[in-house]
Amino acid sequence: MSVRTGVTTLIAVAAVFTLTSCGGESQGSTEQAPVEISVKNLAYSPNSVTVHTGQTVTWIFEDQGMPHDVVFAELGIKSDLQGSGTYSQTFDKAGTFTYTCTPHPNMTGTIIVEE
Ligand SMILES: [Cu+2]
């Protein structure tokens, strides 16, 4: 492993810890734990997640600066095109919702919202 790769990995790990540690609500319920989706390598990972109504999903854009977005055409929801940073969306309506990326139509994902 090169030094550069090692440093990059450390930064990535630190970022994940930071997001995880400050994302919790004060409810103390594991059911409402933050749901995070990595946007990397032209894919959303995990590709399909199940949440409860009122829960927030955060996409983390980490595809080495390549811009992606998150578009729920059915819900009229569209994030900015982002090469870094995060985007969060709260789901208040139950259902199965698919989303895609504008520049890369074969990037798709699914959010299943349960009552
Ligand atoms: Cu994309």
Side-chain angles (χ1 to χ4, degrees):
M1 182 191 289
S2 73
V3 171
R4 191 187 168 92
T5 306
V7 169
T8 306
T9 304
L10 271 178
I11 291 169
V13 169
V16 167
F17 271 112
T18 303
L19 286 165
T20 305
S21 59
C22 67
E25 302 279 312
S26 55
Q27 297 168 350
S29 165
T30 53
E31 195 182 345
Q32 296 296 318
V35 177
E36 296 173 345
I37 297 173
S38 168
V39 185
K40 192 162 65 174
N41 300 325
L42 289 163
Y44 304 109
S45 177
N47 185 252
S48 174
V49 301
T50 301
V51 300
H52 291 281
T53 50
Q55 206 163 1
T56 299
V57 176
T58 298
W59 285 263
I60 303 168
F61 296 85
E62 46 190 356
D63 208 354
Q64 300 178 350
M66 183 187 288
H68 301 289
D69 63 8
V70 172
V71 181
F72 290 85
E74 180 186 354
L75 298 174
I77 291 169
K78 187 177 188 303
S79 78
D80 289 334
L81 265 178
Q82 296 181 215
S84 62
T86 63
Y87 172 72
S88 294
Q89 179 64 48
T90 302
F91 293 89
D92 295 321
K93 195 171 87 172
T96 298
F97 307 105
T98 57
Y99 62 95
T100 187
C101 172
T102 303
H104 312 107
N106 52 0
M107 280 178 70
T108 60
T110 305
I111 306 294
I112 300 162
V113 185
E114 298 179 337
E115 292 288 354

